[in-house]
Short mmCIF file of all heavy atoms in Angstrom, two decimals:
data_model
loop_
_atom_site.label_atom_id
_atom_site.label_comp_id
_atom_site.label_asym_id
_atom_site.label_seq_id
_atom_site.Cartn_x
_atom_site.Cartn_y
_atom_site.Cartn_z
N VAL A 252 8.80 23.41 14.35
CA VAL A 252 9.83 23.26 13.32
C VAL A 252 10.68 22.02 13.59
O VAL A 252 10.95 21.21 12.70
CB VAL A 252 10.70 24.53 13.25
CG1 VAL A 252 11.87 24.32 12.32
CG2 VAL A 252 9.86 25.71 12.78
N VAL A 253 11.12 21.88 14.84
CA VAL A 253 11.97 20.74 15.18
C VAL A 253 11.21 19.43 15.01
O VAL A 253 11.77 18.43 14.55
CB VAL A 253 12.50 20.88 16.62
CG1 VAL A 253 13.22 19.62 17.06
CG2 VAL A 253 13.44 22.07 16.72
N ARG A 254 9.93 19.43 15.37
CA ARG A 254 9.13 18.21 15.22
C ARG A 254 9.02 17.82 13.75
O ARG A 254 9.09 16.64 13.41
CB ARG A 254 7.75 18.42 15.83
CG ARG A 254 6.86 17.18 15.76
CD ARG A 254 5.54 17.42 16.44
NE ARG A 254 4.66 16.27 16.34
CZ ARG A 254 4.72 15.21 17.12
NH1 ARG A 254 5.63 15.15 18.06
NH2 ARG A 254 3.89 14.19 16.95
N GLN A 255 8.85 18.82 12.88
CA GLN A 255 8.76 18.52 11.46
C GLN A 255 10.05 17.93 10.92
O GLN A 255 10.05 17.16 9.96
CB GLN A 255 8.41 19.79 10.67
CG GLN A 255 6.99 20.27 10.91
CD GLN A 255 6.67 21.54 10.13
OE1 GLN A 255 7.56 22.14 9.53
NE2 GLN A 255 5.41 21.95 10.15
N ILE A 256 11.18 18.30 11.56
CA ILE A 256 12.47 17.78 11.11
C ILE A 256 12.80 16.46 11.78
O ILE A 256 13.31 15.53 11.15
CB ILE A 256 13.59 18.82 11.37
CG1 ILE A 256 13.31 20.09 10.56
CG2 ILE A 256 14.95 18.25 11.03
CD1 ILE A 256 14.29 21.21 10.86
N VAL A 257 12.50 16.37 13.09
CA VAL A 257 12.90 15.19 13.86
C VAL A 257 11.99 14.00 13.57
O VAL A 257 12.44 12.85 13.57
CB VAL A 257 12.91 15.52 15.36
CG1 VAL A 257 13.13 14.28 16.20
CG2 VAL A 257 13.99 16.55 15.66
N ARG A 258 10.71 14.24 13.33
CA ARG A 258 9.79 13.13 13.11
C ARG A 258 10.21 12.24 11.94
O ARG A 258 10.24 11.01 12.08
CB ARG A 258 8.37 13.66 12.91
CG ARG A 258 7.33 12.56 12.76
CD ARG A 258 5.93 13.13 12.80
NE ARG A 258 5.76 14.15 11.78
CZ ARG A 258 4.64 14.88 11.63
NH1 ARG A 258 3.63 14.69 12.46
NH2 ARG A 258 4.56 15.78 10.68
N PRO A 259 10.59 12.82 10.77
CA PRO A 259 11.09 11.93 9.71
C PRO A 259 12.37 11.19 10.10
O PRO A 259 12.58 10.05 9.69
CB PRO A 259 11.33 12.90 8.54
CG PRO A 259 10.47 14.08 8.82
CD PRO A 259 10.46 14.21 10.30
N VAL A 260 13.21 11.86 10.89
CA VAL A 260 14.44 11.19 11.32
C VAL A 260 14.11 10.00 12.22
O VAL A 260 14.71 8.92 12.11
CB VAL A 260 15.36 12.19 12.04
CG1 VAL A 260 16.60 11.49 12.59
CG2 VAL A 260 15.78 13.31 11.10
N LYS A 261 13.14 10.19 13.14
CA LYS A 261 12.73 9.07 13.99
C LYS A 261 12.16 7.93 13.16
O LYS A 261 12.45 6.75 13.40
CB LYS A 261 11.69 9.54 15.01
CG LYS A 261 12.25 10.42 16.12
CD LYS A 261 11.16 10.76 17.13
CE LYS A 261 11.72 11.58 18.29
NZ LYS A 261 10.67 11.92 19.28
N GLN A 262 11.31 8.28 12.20
CA GLN A 262 10.76 7.25 11.33
C GLN A 262 11.86 6.53 10.57
O GLN A 262 11.83 5.30 10.43
CB GLN A 262 9.75 7.87 10.36
CG GLN A 262 8.51 8.44 11.04
CD GLN A 262 7.59 9.15 10.07
OE1 GLN A 262 7.93 9.36 8.91
NE2 GLN A 262 6.42 9.56 10.56
N ALA A 263 12.86 7.30 10.10
CA ALA A 263 13.97 6.68 9.38
C ALA A 263 14.77 5.75 10.29
O ALA A 263 15.21 4.68 9.88
CB ALA A 263 14.88 7.75 8.79
N SER A 264 14.96 6.17 11.57
CA SER A 264 15.70 5.32 12.49
C SER A 264 14.95 4.03 12.78
O SER A 264 15.55 2.95 12.87
CB SER A 264 15.98 6.08 13.80
OG SER A 264 14.77 6.37 14.47
N VAL A 265 13.62 4.11 12.92
CA VAL A 265 12.82 2.91 13.16
C VAL A 265 12.91 1.96 11.97
O VAL A 265 13.11 0.74 12.12
CB VAL A 265 11.36 3.29 13.47
CG1 VAL A 265 10.48 2.04 13.52
CG2 VAL A 265 11.26 4.05 14.77
N VAL A 266 12.77 2.54 10.77
CA VAL A 266 12.87 1.71 9.56
C VAL A 266 14.26 1.12 9.43
O VAL A 266 14.43 -0.04 9.04
CB VAL A 266 12.50 2.55 8.32
CG1 VAL A 266 12.74 1.77 7.05
CG2 VAL A 266 11.03 2.98 8.39
N ALA A 267 15.29 1.91 9.76
CA ALA A 267 16.66 1.41 9.68
C ALA A 267 16.88 0.25 10.64
O ALA A 267 17.56 -0.73 10.31
CB ALA A 267 17.65 2.54 9.97
N GLU A 268 16.30 0.33 11.85
CA GLU A 268 16.42 -0.77 12.80
C GLU A 268 15.73 -2.03 12.27
O GLU A 268 16.25 -3.14 12.42
CB GLU A 268 15.82 -0.37 14.14
CG GLU A 268 16.64 0.68 14.89
CD GLU A 268 15.99 1.09 16.19
OE1 GLU A 268 14.88 0.60 16.46
OE2 GLU A 268 16.60 1.89 16.94
N ARG A 269 14.58 -1.84 11.66
CA ARG A 269 13.89 -3.00 11.09
C ARG A 269 14.68 -3.61 9.94
O ARG A 269 14.76 -4.83 9.80
CB ARG A 269 12.50 -2.58 10.60
CG ARG A 269 11.55 -2.17 11.73
CD ARG A 269 10.23 -1.68 11.17
NE ARG A 269 9.32 -1.27 12.24
CZ ARG A 269 8.15 -0.68 12.03
NH1 ARG A 269 7.74 -0.43 10.77
NH2 ARG A 269 7.38 -0.34 13.05
N ILE A 270 15.29 -2.75 9.13
CA ILE A 270 16.13 -3.26 8.04
C ILE A 270 17.33 -4.00 8.61
O ILE A 270 17.75 -5.04 8.09
CB ILE A 270 16.57 -2.10 7.13
CG1 ILE A 270 15.35 -1.53 6.37
CG2 ILE A 270 17.63 -2.54 6.13
CD1 ILE A 270 15.67 -0.30 5.56
N ALA A 271 17.92 -3.44 9.70
CA ALA A 271 19.06 -4.11 10.32
C ALA A 271 18.66 -5.47 10.89
O ALA A 271 19.50 -6.38 10.95
CB ALA A 271 19.64 -3.23 11.43
N ASP A 272 17.39 -5.64 11.28
CA ASP A 272 16.92 -6.92 11.78
C ASP A 272 16.63 -7.91 10.65
O ASP A 272 16.26 -9.06 10.94
CB ASP A 272 15.65 -6.73 12.61
CG ASP A 272 15.95 -6.00 13.92
OD1 ASP A 272 17.11 -6.05 14.36
OD2 ASP A 272 15.02 -5.37 14.47
N GLY A 273 16.78 -7.47 9.41
CA GLY A 273 16.58 -8.37 8.28
C GLY A 273 15.33 -8.10 7.48
O GLY A 273 15.09 -8.78 6.46
N ASN A 274 14.51 -7.13 7.88
CA ASN A 274 13.29 -6.81 7.13
C ASN A 274 13.63 -5.82 6.01
O ASN A 274 13.44 -4.61 6.13
CB ASN A 274 12.23 -6.22 8.06
CG ASN A 274 11.86 -7.17 9.18
OD1 ASN A 274 11.74 -8.37 8.96
ND2 ASN A 274 11.68 -6.64 10.37
N LEU A 275 14.16 -6.35 4.92
CA LEU A 275 14.64 -5.49 3.84
C LEU A 275 13.51 -4.89 3.02
O LEU A 275 13.77 -4.05 2.15
CB LEU A 275 15.57 -6.29 2.92
CG LEU A 275 16.84 -6.84 3.59
CD1 LEU A 275 17.65 -7.64 2.58
CD2 LEU A 275 17.66 -5.72 4.18
N ASN A 276 12.27 -5.27 3.26
CA ASN A 276 11.15 -4.72 2.50
C ASN A 276 10.60 -3.44 3.13
O ASN A 276 9.66 -2.85 2.58
CB ASN A 276 10.03 -5.75 2.39
CG ASN A 276 10.44 -6.96 1.55
OD1 ASN A 276 11.14 -6.80 0.56
ND2 ASN A 276 10.01 -8.14 1.96
N GLU A 277 11.14 -3.02 4.27
CA GLU A 277 10.67 -1.80 4.92
C GLU A 277 11.06 -0.57 4.10
O GLU A 277 12.15 -0.50 3.54
CB GLU A 277 11.27 -1.69 6.32
CG GLU A 277 10.75 -2.72 7.30
CD GLU A 277 9.32 -2.46 7.72
OE1 GLU A 277 8.88 -1.29 7.58
OE2 GLU A 277 8.65 -3.39 8.17
N ARG A 278 10.14 0.41 4.04
CA ARG A 278 10.39 1.65 3.31
C ARG A 278 9.79 2.83 4.08
O ARG A 278 8.88 2.66 4.90
CB ARG A 278 9.76 1.60 1.91
CG ARG A 278 10.35 0.55 0.97
CD ARG A 278 11.79 0.84 0.62
NE ARG A 278 12.31 -0.09 -0.35
CZ ARG A 278 12.89 -1.25 -0.05
NH1 ARG A 278 13.00 -1.60 1.23
NH2 ARG A 278 13.34 -2.05 -0.99
N LEU A 279 10.32 4.01 3.82
CA LEU A 279 9.78 5.24 4.41
C LEU A 279 8.62 5.76 3.59
O LEU A 279 8.60 5.62 2.35
CB LEU A 279 10.88 6.31 4.48
CG LEU A 279 11.97 6.13 5.53
CD1 LEU A 279 13.03 7.22 5.37
CD2 LEU A 279 11.39 6.19 6.94
N MET A 280 7.67 6.40 4.27
CA MET A 280 6.56 7.05 3.59
C MET A 280 7.03 8.38 3.01
O MET A 280 7.70 9.15 3.70
CB MET A 280 5.40 7.27 4.55
CG MET A 280 4.82 5.98 5.13
SD MET A 280 4.09 4.92 3.85
CE MET A 280 2.74 5.96 3.31
N VAL A 281 6.68 8.65 1.78
CA VAL A 281 7.11 9.88 1.10
C VAL A 281 5.90 10.79 0.97
O VAL A 281 4.87 10.40 0.40
CB VAL A 281 7.71 9.57 -0.29
CG1 VAL A 281 8.14 10.87 -0.97
CG2 VAL A 281 8.89 8.63 -0.14
N HIS A 282 6.02 12.03 1.50
CA HIS A 282 4.95 13.02 1.42
C HIS A 282 5.54 14.31 0.87
O HIS A 282 6.48 14.87 1.43
CB HIS A 282 4.33 13.29 2.79
CG HIS A 282 3.75 12.06 3.44
ND1 HIS A 282 2.55 11.50 3.06
CD2 HIS A 282 4.23 11.28 4.45
CE1 HIS A 282 2.30 10.44 3.81
NE2 HIS A 282 3.31 10.28 4.65
N GLY A 283 4.96 14.81 -0.22
CA GLY A 283 5.38 16.10 -0.77
C GLY A 283 6.63 16.00 -1.61
O GLY A 283 7.08 14.91 -2.03
N GLU A 284 7.22 17.18 -1.84
CA GLU A 284 8.41 17.26 -2.69
C GLU A 284 9.50 18.10 -2.04
O GLU A 284 10.39 18.60 -2.73
CB GLU A 284 8.03 17.88 -4.05
CG GLU A 284 7.01 17.07 -4.82
CD GLU A 284 6.66 17.71 -6.15
OE1 GLU A 284 7.19 18.82 -6.41
OE2 GLU A 284 5.88 17.11 -6.92
#
């Protein structure tokens, strides 16, 4: 359960760091609804 919740947060943090470095084209993968 925690992995299912934390994994998207980790992905979001990685993408956020890339955006902070100036890579504004980075996006998160969307799965499901």
Side-chain angles (χ1 to χ4, degrees):
V252 173
V253 172
R254 182 177 178 82
Q255 290 179 352
I256 297 175
V257 172
R258 184 170 56 184
V260 176
K261 288 184 177 180
Q262 294 175 352
S264 65
V265 172
V266 173
E268 289 178 357
R269 293 176 181 173
I270 292 174
D272 292 336
N274 301 320
L275 298 179
N276 294 322
E277 291 288 339
R278 295 295 185 271
L279 287 175
M280 298 296 295
V281 180
H282 301 284
E284 299 180 356

